[in-house]
Amino acid sequence: MNPLTKIAQRQSEFDGYTITGYMFQFLNEPSRRGWYVTMYSPTGGVKHYWVESDQFHSVVNYISTSPGIPAYLDIGDLAEVLEAEKVAVSRAVDMWTREHDEKADVEA
């Protein structure tokens, strides 16, 4: 399992999907980060992905912890994602990452 620290949290609606995301940074590789995404479809389905460098991976196991204590995530193989879901999640992740990076630049 990979120890992670949460650095951002977002939720948005895209193309009829409700998407929640947590941006994590790897504790053992500080330059590496990605998004743990939960996607709620209009039909009631729920899917979880790890999105890093525009690649979607399955999530094998995720353990959330108290603030200040690392979370843990097992990242699986590349996931097969429906095109509409991929577009919606990619739009969300791109927007959230841009917002996070812009805020970090202002605070620096």
Side-chain angles (χ1 to χ4, degrees):
M1 291 190 88
N2 298 295
L4 309 164
T5 186
K6 183 169 51 173
I7 56 176
Q9 178 178 338
R10 302 283 191 273
Q11 182 172 331
S12 300
E13 299 266 339
F14 283 94
D15 304 327
Y17 297 97
T18 300
I19 305 167
T20 301
Y22 299 93
M23 179 190 259
F24 285 104
Q25 180 177 19
F26 287 75
L27 291 177
N28 55 355
E29 296 178 68
S31 63
R32 186 177 172 196
R33 66 184 189 181
W35 288 89
Y36 172 65
V37 173
T38 302
M39 175 180 219
Y40 304 90
S41 76
T43 60
V46 178
K47 296 183 181 177
H48 303 276
Y49 301 109
W50 173 257
V51 180
E52 182 178 358
S53 301
D54 296 324
Q55 293 186 341
F56 287 66
H57 292 265
S58 62
V59 175
V60 177
N61 194 14
Y62 170 67
I63 299 172
S64 178
T65 59
S66 302
I69 298 174
Y72 292 90
L73 179 73
D74 276 338
I75 301 167
D77 295 331
L78 289 174
E80 290 188 31
V81 183
L82 296 173
E83 188 61 28
E85 294 175 355
K86 190 172 193 172
V87 167
V89 169
S90 293
R91 287 180 57 209
V93 165
D94 289 347
M95 182 182 81
W96 297 337
T97 301
R98 197 171 44 254
E99 288 173 353
H100 175 269
D101 293 347
E102 288 171 0
K103 182 179 178 185
D105 286 344
V106 169
E107 292 175 355

